[in-house]
């Protein structure tokens, strides 16, 4: 049995967890890890079910065996990747930018009979197979994973509540399983696309220079205040390698130099220091 060292999860992470308990087989629940510990050689997570807060903390054995089987099965996985659609902007071809990417599951067209899907129902994802498709009503009849691995019943589901089934393992990460229609077909593909969260961060960074420079301008009006309060000079480039962060650092240094020039002019009668512009050497 693998140990916690092999797994990428930490206390505080949001993950998905499943159960072999009757009535919940074949479903994935969103959880937050509150504690990681061992009992003997077995690894356990204390999980807070994010969509069932009244349930309290559940202690889950991370590797479990189904009744009558010897194989150890991992009961947790990361939160599924963000979903997009093939006809959405940015999903059609190769991406030029390689930085700040995330894995995205891109759906191919409409659902077809045999597609493996996860159905969002009762605040969790139920894995199943598409049996019938009604494009006019945008509904599909799906059969849940058969017993003993799932609950095995058929239901009508709205298209909007369906997402592609994904499988996750330590060795391969996320993969899209082949559809159950006798063909080697996948209803979705995994792609690397620009991280939406990173885009928001970059937009925030673009707004930050104006705010920071305004604060520095205030500093210039108070020459008795120290230039640097701490021993270390914090640089934006230490937190982000983006061009915007480097530009912010340059702008902040310009403000600091202007501040020093102002200090030298104010104290020119009592100081032997003189500020002189130093042009860069010509190449």
């Amino acid at each position: 049995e693998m140990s916690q060292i092999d797994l990428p999860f930490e206390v505080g992470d949001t993950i998905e967890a499943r159960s072999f308990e009757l009535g919940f087989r074949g479903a994935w629940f969103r959880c937050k890890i509150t504690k990681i510990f061992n009992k003997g050689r077995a690894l356990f997570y204390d999980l807070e079910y994010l969509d069932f807060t009244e349930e309290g903390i559940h202690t889950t054995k991370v590797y479990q065996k189904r009744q009558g089987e010897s194989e150890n099965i991992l009961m947790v996985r990361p939160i599924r990747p963000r979903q997009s659609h093939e006809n959405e902007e940015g999903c059609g071809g190769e991406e030029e930018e390689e930085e700040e990417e995330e894995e995205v599951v891109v759906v191919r067209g409409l659902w077809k009979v045999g597609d493996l899907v996860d159905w969002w129902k009762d605040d969790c994802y139920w894995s199943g197979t598409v049996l019938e498709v009604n494009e006019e009503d945008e509904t599909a009849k799906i059969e849940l994973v058969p017993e003993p691995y799932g609950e095995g019943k058929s239901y009508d589901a709205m298209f909007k509540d369906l997402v592609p089934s994904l499988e996750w393992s330590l060795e391969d990460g996320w993969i899209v399983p082949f559809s159950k229609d006798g063909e080697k077909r996948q209803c979705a593909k995994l792609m690397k696309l620009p991280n939406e969260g990173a885009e928001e961060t970059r937009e925030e960074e673009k707004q930050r220079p104006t705010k920071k420079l305004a604060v520095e301008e205030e500093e210039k009006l108070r020459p008795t205040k120290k230039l640097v309060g701490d021993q270390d000079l914090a640089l934006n480039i230490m937190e982000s390698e983006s061009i915007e962060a480097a530009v912010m650092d340059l702008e902040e240094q310009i403000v600091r130099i202007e501040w020093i020039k102002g200090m030298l002019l104010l104290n020119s009668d009592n100081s032997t220091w003189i500020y002189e512009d130093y042009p860069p050497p010509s190449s």
Side-chain angles (χ1 to χ4, degrees):
E1 187 167 308
M2 292 187 179
S3 67
Q4 172 60 23
I5 297 173
D6 302 302
L7 299 174
F9 311 118
E10 299 177 354
V11 171
D13 284 356
T14 299
I15 62 170
E16 294 180 0
R18 58 182 166 183
S19 170
F20 292 153
E21 186 179 341
L22 195 63
F24 300 101
R25 297 169 298 177
W28 288 95
F29 299 84
R30 297 189 316 134
C31 303
K32 182 178 180 180
I33 302 174
T34 61
K35 185 179 178 182
I36 296 174
F37 62 97
N38 288 85
K39 283 185 181 179
R41 296 181 61 187
L43 176 64
F44 290 85
Y45 287 174
D46 276 355
L47 299 177
E48 175 188 352
Y49 281 69
L50 299 179
D51 299 297
F52 299 88
T53 51
E54 71 282 357
E55 290 291 317
I57 302 298
H58 277 244
T59 298
T60 298
K61 191 177 181 182
V62 177
Y63 289 92
Q64 296 184 24
K65 293 183 175 72
R66 287 193 180 96
Q67 190 171 4
E69 298 185 8
S70 58
E71 180 187 2
N72 268 323
I73 296 174
L74 183 61
M75 304 300 290
V76 295
R77 68 181 187 183
I79 285 290
R80 59 178 295 124
R82 177 169 66 86
Q83 181 170 313
S84 188
H85 203 277
E86 212 167 32
N87 59 10
E88 289 180 14
E89 186 178 352
C91 296
E94 295 296 322
E95 295 297 319
E96 293 182 4
E97 188 175 347
E98 295 182 1
E99 296 181 327
E100 305 288 353
E101 290 185 332
E102 64 172 333
E103 195 166 37
V104 176
V105 58
V106 181
V107 180
R108 288 183 164 132
L110 295 173
W111 301 111
K112 297 180 180 178
V113 172
D115 283 347
L116 298 179
V117 294
D118 284 352
W119 176 36
W120 180 254
K121 173 69 174 172
D122 297 333
D123 296 319
C124 61
Y125 281 111
W126 297 87
S127 299
T129 306
V130 175
L131 298 179
E132 299 173 12
V133 175
N134 188 330
E135 294 183 16
E136 191 174 316
D137 294 339
E138 295 190 339
T139 62
K141 182 180 285 295
I142 64 167
E143 180 184 30
L144 302 186
V145 174
E147 296 185 280
Y149 305 118
E151 297 304 317
K153 297 177 182 177
S154 297
Y155 297 90
D156 291 322
M158 301 289 294
F159 281 179
K160 66 180 180 64
D161 296 326
L162 298 177
V163 296
S165 283
L166 299 176
E167 296 174 0
W168 185 86
S169 68
L170 277 170
E171 298 77 18
D172 302 318
W174 289 108
I175 63 169
V176 182
F178 288 112
S179 298
K180 290 185 175 179
D181 58 0
E183 301 178 18
K184 273 204 158 187
R185 185 177 60 80
Q186 294 166 302
C187 63
K189 58 185 175 181
L190 289 162
M191 292 180 62
K192 295 283 187 180
L193 295 179
N195 189 320
E196 284 191 345
E199 288 294 332
E200 292 171 6
T201 302
R202 281 198 287 270
E203 287 301 318
E204 288 175 8
E205 286 176 347
K206 288 177 184 176
Q207 302 299 325
R208 239 191 285 163
T210 308
K211 296 177 183 176
K212 288 200 171 188
L213 287 173
V215 173
E216 296 291 353
E217 289 296 331
E218 283 184 27
E219 295 293 315
K220 289 204 293 186
L221 299 175
R222 291 179 283 176
T224 55
K225 190 167 179 139
K226 288 184 180 179
L227 178 62
V228 180
D230 300 324
Q231 291 181 350
D232 297 326
L233 185 63
L235 296 176
N236 296 291
I237 199 70
M238 296 170 68
E239 299 179 6
S240 169
E241 295 182 359
S242 65
I243 294 174
E244 289 85 358
V247 170
M248 285 166 55
D249 285 332
L250 288 173
E251 290 177 336
E252 289 174 9
Q253 299 317 309
I254 291 170
V255 171
R256 289 189 171 94
I257 291 170
E258 292 296 323
W259 187 89
I260 292 171
K261 286 170 67 175
M263 286 291 292
L264 291 173
L265 289 173
L266 283 172
N267 299 308
S268 57
D269 296 336
N270 304 320
S271 174
T272 57
W273 289 92
I274 299 174
Y275 179 87
E276 290 186 359
D277 285 314
Y278 181 74
S282 58
S283 54

